[in-house]
Amino acid sequence: MKEKKRLTTEAGAPVNHYQDSQSAGARGPLLLQDYFLHEKLATFNRERIPERIVHAKGSGAYGTFTVTHDITKYTRAKLFSKIGKQTKVFTRFSTVGGEKGSADTERDPRGFAVKFYTEDGNWDLVGNNTPVFFIKDPKKFPDFIHTQKRDPHTNCKSPTMVWDYWSLNPESLHQVLILMSDRGTPNGYRFMNGYGSHTFSMVNDKNERIYVKFHYKTMQGNKTFTDAEATKLKGTDPDYSQRDLVDAIEKGDYPKYALKIQVMTLDEAKNFSWNPFDLTKVWSHKDYPLIDVGEIELNEIPANYFQDVEQAAFAPSNLVDGIGFSPDKMLQGRILAYPDAQRYRIGGNYQALPVNKCPYATNNYHRDGAMRFDGNGENSPNYYPNSFDNNTEDDSYKGVNYELDSNIAGYFDRNEGDDDHFTQPGNLFKIMTPEAKINTINNIVGAMSGISGSKKDEIINLQLCHWFRVDIQLGMGVAKGLGVEIDPKLLR
């Protein structure tokens, strides 16, 4: 028999009337002095922290990362220091555009974020299930996300907003094509790949620097839903992905992902066909083959979803020695935006929460702020330098100086000299199977059929021009599906 535990207030005082409020007589009004009633209702009112603007609905699990191959010639990061080394991880999967109550099988990119708890601090590899993104400059991000959310007039999702924006930003074509394929509706989180997406850098123990992209390849095999299957599940099991992940781990069928990298030298980056830091482009696997690194195994569902999954906070700014940034403009924008979002959503001390806290010693002079529950530095000095403690800067973590490509500050057109938005999505469409091509065309037609309003024809025609430039077969298929007649002479 379980030991009985008495009910108490948050301050620890015993509560002997948990279900009945204090009143003036059995039928009388309630009394202000029933402080536990106030505590209970006030706490309930604050149960929901602001949901994430994007990636609001997610699933998470703890696990381990194990090094299987030696990459120390590229990086001195300690988590890769030897084969067999294990590092605890927390992974959060998510949809991107929907609210917290949205369906798991929406046609949407999927977030795939991994927090590595290393002895040099936490490393957050915050990515998606696609290697590219819709835009290449962070200043465009709020506008793009507005189109994925609700129309400020109708408060409904608007295909017109979505396609108007995409048609006016052809840099989105590569990601849109992936989204409109069956990869846009993955079968849960266990059967999809993940990508760091951005270009990062690595530094080895000789201070040699290279650029790198991270990939997680599902070891369960890729599985997707057709549009019809995904739509059916939205109504019959909107929490499909969450349920699938929990059920698999609880029965010991642990999801695994192979971590791989692509590397590019600084000289290769200068001579690359496209801007190697452009988030709308990929590096060819033929020219820059995948290199095996290790395996991620997810083997523990958090005991409490809110504590760990909802309060999990990832930021690309969380790097460790041996891994660095690159000139990727979208990455540079996320260095600011992500920690700022977490401080707004959870509070200034969000990294002290168990799921976000580095399990190794941390030492700095940050103090105070809401929800400071970790000792707050106790009676030690809150400034540096000082004459009382013996804290020092560690020169062995000084980092590597590097030259910038330019010393001219200005606003540069993101597409000037880099406006080929069509070759890579065209190459992707060409390697699709005949079935995948048909499904992709049908998905595009279904999505574009929702465009309405006075600008309908203008938006459709502009987007059709983009599809034709990607691939003639793709353009003709979409045009036919939308009932738009195309003069073959115009395609010569």
Side-chain angles (χ1 to χ4, degrees):
M1 182 179 293
K2 290 185 177 179
E3 178 186 359
K4 289 185 176 180
K5 297 180 180 178
R6 67 185 184 187
L7 295 167
T8 73
T9 67
E10 280 295 288
V15 173
N16 63 350
H17 287 90
Y18 195 84
Q19 302 181 76
D20 299 303
S21 300
Q22 192 176 38
S23 61
R27 297 186 178 183
L30 302 186
L31 300 182
L32 183 63
Q33 68 186 31
D34 188 348
Y35 59 89
F36 185 65
L37 168 64
H38 298 175
E39 178 181 293
K40 192 173 181 181
L41 292 180
T43 301
F44 175 75
N45 286 344
R46 292 160 176 78
E47 280 186 359
R48 298 293 177 264
I49 59 178
E51 76 172 29
R52 293 167 169 87
I53 302 299
V54 288
H55 300 276
K57 188 179 185 187
S59 304
Y62 286 101
T64 55
F65 166 69
T66 304
V67 178
T68 58
H69 292 75
D70 184 5
I71 61 165
T72 53
K73 68 178 180 179
Y74 300 119
T75 179
R76 64 189 183 211
K78 289 181 180 177
L79 79 158
F80 302 122
S81 61
K82 61 181 180 180
I83 294 175
K85 182 176 175 62
Q86 290 194 327
T87 300
K88 183 178 179 180
V89 300
F90 180 79
T91 297
R92 186 178 186 272
F93 305 101
S94 57
T95 52
V96 176
E99 300 93 349
K100 197 171 186 301
S102 59
D104 284 351
T105 55
E106 292 281 359
R107 183 169 301 282
D108 200 13
R110 301 299 191 272
F112 195 137
V114 184
K115 187 181 293 289
F116 297 80
Y117 301 98
T118 90
E119 60 263 54
D120 267 352
N122 293 346
W123 172 38
D124 291 352
L125 189 50
V126 192
N128 284 334
N129 70 328
T130 58
V132 295
F133 196 59
F134 299 92
I135 53 177
K136 60 172 76 175
D137 191 294
K139 193 174 280 188
K140 298 178 67 62
F141 189 76
D143 299 290
F144 163 64
I145 293 300
H146 284 169
T147 71
Q148 307 299 300
K149 294 292 187 175
R150 295 183 179 272
D151 186 315
H153 173 59
T154 66
N155 198 41
C156 294
K157 293 294 185 74
S158 169
T160 303
M161 290 198 312
V162 169
W163 288 102
D164 184 34
Y165 188 85
W166 285 344
S167 70
L168 295 170
N169 289 275
E171 67 198 71
S172 66
L173 278 168
H174 199 172
Q175 174 76 320
V176 172
L177 185 63
I178 295 174
L179 180 63
M180 290 296 143
S181 74
D182 286 343
R183 287 173 64 181
T185 48
N187 185 326
Y189 299 130
R190 296 186 295 134
F191 301 102
M192 69 179 193
N193 294 334
Y195 305 86
S197 301
H198 296 291
T199 301
F200 294 87
S201 60
M202 282 183 166
V203 175
N204 64 17
D205 57 5
K206 298 178 182 177
N207 284 340
E208 296 168 331
R209 187 165 174 262
I210 53 100
Y211 292 118
V212 61
K213 283 185 178 288
F214 295 97
H215 303 248
Y216 331 96
K217 296 294 185 179
T218 173
M219 299 175 71
Q220 289 72 238
N222 278 288
K223 292 183 182 180
T224 59
F225 289 126
T226 64
D227 189 64
E229 291 169 333
T231 299
K232 181 179 179 181
L233 276 171
K234 284 194 286 185
T236 59
D237 190 0
D239 301 317
Y240 172 84
S241 300
Q242 167 75 9
R243 193 183 323 282
D244 177 72
L245 182 67
V246 171
D247 289 350
I249 292 177
E250 287 188 341
K251 68 182 181 183
D253 185 10
Y254 301 139
K256 294 182 179 180
Y257 306 85
L259 179 64
K260 301 172 183 283
I261 59 173
Q262 290 176 287
V263 299
M264 181 184 289
T265 67
L266 274 61
D267 286 339
E268 287 173 328
K270 292 178 181 178
N271 299 300
F272 191 55
S273 304
W274 291 281
N275 174 3
F277 314 114
D278 181 347
L279 188 55
T280 67
K281 304 290 196 303
V282 296
W283 298 356
S284 163
H285 286 196
K286 179 181 178 181
D287 298 330
Y288 301 93
L290 294 176
I291 299 169
D292 292 320
V293 179
E295 293 180 5
I296 296 171
E297 177 186 272
L298 302 181
N299 49 35
E300 179 188 348
I301 292 295
N304 185 274
Y305 177 91
F306 179 86
Q307 175 180 277
D308 290 350
V309 183
E310 190 63 18
Q311 293 191 125
F314 298 87
S317 52
N318 287 344
L319 295 180
V320 293
D321 182 55
I323 302 173
F325 301 120
S326 81
D328 182 333
K329 290 184 178 181
M330 285 295 293
L331 174 59
Q332 294 282 322
R334 293 175 84 199
I335 295 170
L336 162 69
Y338 274 60
D340 184 59
Q342 309 299 0
R343 294 183 186 105
Y344 161 74
R345 193 175 66 89
I346 311 174
N349 293 310
Y350 73 92
Q351 294 195 91
L353 294 167
V355 68
N356 301 321
K357 186 175 178 59
C358 174
Y360 299 91
T362 58
N363 191 25
N364 54 56
Y365 297 90
H366 302 335
R367 295 291 187 270
D368 306 342
M371 301 297 289
R372 195 84 210 203
F373 52 85
D374 57 354
N376 197 34
E378 298 179 341
N379 62 350
S380 62
N382 62 353
Y383 58 95
Y384 180 87
N386 66 72
S387 304
F388 303 98
D389 61 32
N390 196 33
N391 296 334
T392 60
E393 298 166 320
D394 191 338
D395 287 339
S396 64
Y397 289 83
K398 192 173 182 178
V400 178
N401 296 333
Y402 56 90
E403 292 184 2
L404 300 177
D405 287 343
S406 173
N407 59 2
I408 300 174
Y411 298 97
F412 301 94
D413 184 340
R414 66 194 183 284
N415 290 318
E416 186 175 354
D418 189 29
D419 60 354
D420 181 357
H421 311 304
F422 312 101
T423 298
Q424 287 204 357
N427 292 339
L428 175 61
F429 187 77
K430 285 179 176 63
I431 65 172
M432 289 183 182
T433 65
E435 180 184 9
K437 288 180 178 178
I438 292 172
N439 288 349
T440 301
I441 290 172
N442 289 340
N443 293 338
I444 293 171
V445 170
M448 290 184 65
S449 295
I451 301 172
S452 62
S454 61
K455 296 288 186 177
K456 175 181 176 179
D457 292 342
E458 181 179 330
I459 294 170
I460 288 177
N461 289 333
L462 181 55
Q463 186 64 40
L464 275 176
C465 289
H466 299 327
W467 290 134
F468 273 108
R469 292 186 69 180
V470 168
D471 185 273
I472 296 293
Q473 180 187 354
L474 174 61
M476 288 298 294
V478 175
K480 181 179 179 180
L482 292 173
V484 178
E485 293 188 11
I486 302 295
D487 185 349
K489 295 179 182 178
L490 299 177
L491 304 178
R492 292 176 184 173

